[in-house]
Amino acid sequence: MSDQSLLRDGWLPGVRELSFGGDYNPEQWPQEIWAQDLDLMRRAGVNIVSIGIFSWGLLEPRPGEFDFAWLDAVIEGLHEAGIRVDLGTPTTVPPQWFWQQNPHVRPVLRDGTVLAPGSRGICCPSSPEYAQASLRITTELAQRYGKHPAVVLWHVHNEYGAPISECYCEVSAAAFRVWLQARYGTLDALNTAWGTAFWGQTYGDWAQVGTPAQSASMSNPAHRLDFARFSSDELLGCFTRERDVLHEKSPGVPVTTNFMATNCPSMDLWKWSREVDVVANDHYLTAADPRSQVGLALDADLTRSLADGRPWMLMEHSSSAVNWQPRNLAKRPGELARNSLSHLARGADAILFFQWRASRRGAEKFHSAMLPHAGENSRVFREVTELGATLGSLTDVLDSRVQAPVAILWDWESLWAQDLDWRPSVDLEPRRQVREYYERLWHDKVTVDFAHPTADLSRYAVVLAPASYLLTGEAAANLTAYVEAGGHLVVGPFSGVVDQDDAVHPGGWNGVLRDLLQVSVEEVLPLPENGAVTLTGGTRAGVWAEDLAPQNAETVLEYTDGPAAGRPAVTRRALGGGTATYVSTVLDHHALTVVLDPVLERAGVTIDRDLPWDLEIVSRHGADGSEYVFAINHAGAPADLPVEGVDLLTGEPCTGSTKIPAGAVRVFRR
């Protein structure tokens, strides 16, 4: 586990200001451009850049031969300009000589396709040749720059799991067997956990166990679930291997890697977050999301939760359009600031972009940048410079933290399991369910944390479990204890169905939660495509219904039509000082008010529907009792906000009410 004591003041060494910058790739440009970059960075307020992330082939042009002259010059130039360095280990892109020497470690997809080099992403994560080569370049970098005063952070690899998260080659298969032996000890235990008696899959020798490659029909789901766990662990091992070298050679400088909290589903980031010194995340808007500001906030809140409330870094986002979606929409005027400051409001003390200067060549030449192709006289660069000045005026928010009264349960293992084939309905999408619950609270101005089902939940007035398909006995006991102690729990449909081996719990479709909820699910009733049902009072629901048999729970809402007509749809059970509510169907963020409003009221959580729908409100709290209120207006019309305090962007006092212009951001201290 990473040594958090490495962090000075809980953040980057010696940094007492908000960090602002982005990926910097000077190796793509002639040296005469470098001086221009430094001048423009200073103008924009840049105080940190990430360098060296994709430069392995330049730093080690031949095995064991190193050329650091250009990197020396870059780091010295940045240091003289007062710009700090987040120094990358370039292990996401092995050099061409590595592939030439080791063609056998090219990654293999589940269908047997062998991928060629020439893109990004590592080779087989279990490759000993890759481990040796990556440690060599990391050690050389650490010895040369580990005590350089400009280097305040180490950046290992880049976006683990993207695009390669699983490898099905023979090297991976051998490593998988070692992992399984450590997990299960005996073949009997593995056969039991995987239920290999079904379809005659029993193993009699460890050598018979391979990767769950593409087969004639549905593969064993427990086999695939364990391979997902193994793959996450193998990538994590690649990170910790380099991290340990950096800790040894560069003591006192924190080490991180950039997560993709909601966009890279192949890594169990609860595990990963315990191994980094600072949590860092990349986030990009999805053009297909009509309310992308909500998805951004969800991603930021999940990242803050991974950091356990500590400061975190937005390592990458875009100044405008990306280049890898089917339709790459440019950000409109003011959107760059709204996106950036929403991350800041939700706990990020560093706002960085990909990248500083737009590339003229390569796969990402149409990706936006802080300094776009249009140059310094462009709208984007003016907005970047304005953002730098804004962040410079918000130093007061350092050391403040976000406080959330509500938590939503999030478990990557449960998502992996529910994503597998042959589930009752392809329309029951767990991430979509989480998004609807989150969006309801976003509009109601209620701040949300995310938590693992076995985490300490005692700080939260309300815990929501919209999609907890895989739930262990330990997790169910934790939720029961939470309710008994006075917490208020809301559970969504198809939850508590299977254990850690993807085996159905005894006692019904929600077997592990039956005693807590005091209701049994006798049958699940998926609806036809675009099907809907009506609940008491006319509330409409979709996708899914269930035939419930309450024992000691009251019926809150009934189905009035559909396959479960006349049966309970929503139940509530009182236990100790708390309540456990079960929602057996899928409600969108509008309809969820009928379920969540009574729970929030009973728990004492304040909601605000007097403010405009698209006015985002979130606060950070200082240890001295100060509160920093971020008001971000995503609407096309101005909004009135009741607030008492000082506008940190203008220095003007506010009493009573103030107007937030359309598309604008205001930050108040009160």
Side-chain angles (χ1 to χ4, degrees):
M1 183 173 296
S2 185
D3 181 2
Q4 294 292 339
S5 67
L6 286 170
L7 297 182
R8 303 172 188 173
D9 303 320
W11 191 227
L12 306 181
V15 176
R16 299 302 305 159
E17 60 188 347
L18 296 172
S19 296
F20 178 57
D23 280 33
Y24 181 38
N25 299 291
E27 65 271 26
Q28 298 178 13
W29 300 89
Q31 287 199 22
E32 56 265 27
I33 298 293
W34 298 1
Q36 297 176 26
D37 285 332
L38 295 178
D39 288 341
L40 291 171
M41 285 180 189
R42 283 191 291 255
R43 188 197 304 180
V46 168
N47 56 28
I48 188 170
V49 292
S50 304
I51 62 174
I53 295 169
F54 299 104
S55 59
W56 194 348
L58 294 177
L59 295 172
E60 190 180 5
R62 285 163 296 280
E65 297 181 21
F66 301 95
D67 178 6
F68 294 115
W70 69 271
L71 188 56
D72 288 346
V74 170
I75 291 178
E76 286 304 319
L78 290 166
H79 185 46
E80 291 174 7
I83 299 170
R84 302 179 185 92
V85 171
D86 166 32
L87 183 54
T89 68
T91 50
T92 187
V93 281
Q96 295 302 324
W97 57 255
F98 176 85
W99 296 109
Q100 185 181 33
Q101 287 184 346
N102 304 287
H104 61 288
V105 302
R106 290 184 294 170
V108 177
L109 301 183
R110 188 165 180 251
D111 65 2
T113 301
V114 180
L115 298 181
S119 181
R120 49 168 283 193
I122 63 173
C123 57
C124 168
S126 303
S127 159
E129 295 90 348
Y130 172 73
Q132 180 183 27
S134 61
L135 283 178
R136 183 172 64 219
I137 184 64
T138 298
T139 300
E140 291 290 331
L141 285 165
Q143 288 174 338
R144 191 172 188 91
Y145 303 111
K147 297 181 181 178
H148 196 290
V151 177
V152 297
L153 182 67
W154 287 101
H155 184 310
V156 172
H157 200 271
N158 183 72
E159 294 181 340
Y160 278 102
I164 300 299
S165 60
E166 295 180 337
C167 179
Y168 290 79
C169 74
E170 285 304 313
V171 175
S172 291
F176 184 40
R177 285 190 285 272
V178 172
W179 185 92
L180 290 170
Q181 287 172 314
R183 181 176 178 89
Y184 293 108
T186 67
L187 273 175
D188 286 344
L190 180 140
N191 281 316
T192 298
W194 286 8
T196 56
F198 184 81
W199 278 4
Q201 296 173 350
T202 303
Y203 296 100
D205 189 293
W206 284 107
Q208 297 167 2
V209 183
T211 66
Q214 194 72 49
S215 59
S217 183
M218 168 69 170
S219 298
N220 186 319
H223 189 174
R224 292 192 62 188
L225 179 57
D226 266 345
F227 193 70
R229 292 176 175 127
F230 157 78
S231 297
S232 178
D233 286 353
E234 285 295 277
L235 288 172
L236 182 55
C238 292
F239 167 77
T240 57
R241 189 166 56 227
E242 292 186 46
R243 180 207 63 194
D244 291 348
V245 169
L246 296 169
H247 278 177
E248 177 189 352
K249 304 291 184 183
S250 183
V253 179
V255 183
T256 192
T257 188
N258 42 340
F259 297 164
M260 290 180 289
T262 57
N263 291 326
C264 186
S266 58
M267 292 155 53
D268 183 349
L269 293 180
W270 293 120
K271 279 189 175 182
W272 281 72
S273 63
R274 297 193 294 267
E275 302 295 344
V276 297
D277 296 324
V278 176
V279 167
N281 191 56
D282 296 352
H283 178 267
Y284 292 97
L285 300 183
T286 302
D289 185 352
R291 297 181 298 279
S292 59
Q293 66 270 23
V294 179
L296 182 155
L298 186 158
D299 195 79
D301 285 344
L302 177 55
T303 306
R304 182 189 67 252
S305 302
L306 291 168
D308 196 25
R310 295 187 302 273
W312 58 276
M313 304 184 71
L314 176 63
M315 188 65 81
E316 291 184 23
H317 73 315
S318 66
S319 60
S320 190
V322 298
N323 69 299
W324 38 265
Q325 297 180 24
R327 297 167 185 82
N328 297 293
L329 306 184
K331 292 185 178 181
R332 306 314 306 142
E335 192 173 359
L336 180 154
R338 291 195 299 276
N339 292 167
S340 299
L341 295 176
S342 180
H343 285 288
L344 174 66
R346 296 175 186 277
D349 280 1
I351 306 296
L352 282 70
F353 292 85
F354 179 84
Q355 57 179 325
W356 162 251
R357 181 185 283 270
S359 300
R360 290 186 56 221
R361 296 174 175 84
E364 293 187 290
K365 58 182 172 288
F366 299 128
H367 194 292
S368 61
M370 300 173 77
L371 182 63
H373 291 300
E376 61 187 280
N377 294 319
S378 63
R379 173 184 65 83
V380 168
F381 188 71
R382 286 192 295 272
E383 290 195 17
V384 165
T385 302
E386 291 166 3
L387 176 62
T390 296
L391 294 173
S393 69
L394 293 176
T395 303
D396 284 358
V397 306
L398 283 171
D399 300 322
S400 62
R401 301 287 184 269
V402 177
Q403 299 173 1
V406 176
I408 295 178
L409 298 187
W410 183 285
D411 181 8
W412 274 275
E413 292 195 1
S414 180
L415 294 171
W416 296 338
Q418 194 168 349
D419 285 344
L420 293 174
D421 302 326
W422 290 13
R423 292 339 189 197
S425 174
V426 296
D427 298 324
L428 190 66
E429 302 175 50
R431 294 168 190 81
R432 185 73 222 172
Q433 290 170 255
V434 170
R435 168 66 182 262
E436 294 294 345
Y437 277 73
Y438 180 88
E439 186 157 354
R440 177 68 265 157
L441 296 174
W442 188 94
H443 288 301
D444 288 341
K445 326 307 179 196
V446 177
T447 305
V448 171
D449 278 347
F450 288 84
H452 189 272
T454 60
D456 180 2
L457 304 172
S458 59
R459 77 185 81 167
Y460 303 110
V462 174
V463 170
L464 307 177
S468 291
Y469 163 75
L470 186 157
L471 205 66
T472 64
E474 177 190 2
N478 189 49
L479 297 177
T480 301
Y482 166 76
V483 174
E484 288 176 333
H488 298 275
L489 175 69
V490 180
V491 179
F494 204 47
S495 290
V497 178
V498 299
D499 65 12
Q500 67 276 3
D501 301 319
D502 198 46
V504 175
H505 285 290
W509 288 89
N510 66 336
V512 78
L513 289 173
R514 187 183 63 250
D515 290 343
L516 169 58
L517 299 172
Q518 284 294 294
V519 60
S520 294
V521 179
E522 297 194 354
E523 189 173 12
V524 297
L525 304 168
L527 301 180
E529 186 176 7
N530 300 318
V533 292
T534 308
L535 311 186
T536 310
T539 298
R540 297 288 282 172
V543 176
W544 188 268
E546 292 176 354
D547 186 1
L548 302 186
Q551 280 86 53
N552 214 4
E554 63 175 303
T555 297
V556 177
L557 296 172
E558 289 186 352
Y559 294 104
T560 61
D561 60 16
R567 304 289 290 165
V570 178
T571 64
R572 180 168 55 240
R573 186 263 176 117
L575 176 65
T579 59
T581 300
Y582 186 58
V583 184
S584 67
T585 187
V586 176
L587 300 168
D588 69 15
H589 59 277
H590 297 286
L592 275 168
T593 57
V594 299
V595 171
L596 294 186
D597 281 8
V599 176
L600 295 169
E601 181 181 1
R602 184 176 284 106
V605 176
T606 302
I607 62 177
D608 195 331
R609 297 211 179 104
D610 294 329
L611 294 175
W613 179 262
D614 279 324
L615 180 62
E616 180 179 358
I617 302 292
V618 63
S619 294
R620 292 177 56 151
H621 299 265
D624 61 357
S626 57
E627 180 183 8
Y628 302 93
V629 181
F630 288 73
I632 305 171
N633 189 359
H634 298 280
D640 291 320
L641 175 69
V643 65
E644 301 279 343
V646 176
D647 185 333
L648 292 182
L649 302 185
T650 66
E652 298 177 357
C654 301
T655 57
S657 180
T658 190
K659 193 173 293 294
I660 313 298
V665 182
R666 292 289 182 268
V667 184
F668 304 95
R669 181 179 60 224
R670 65 183 182 187

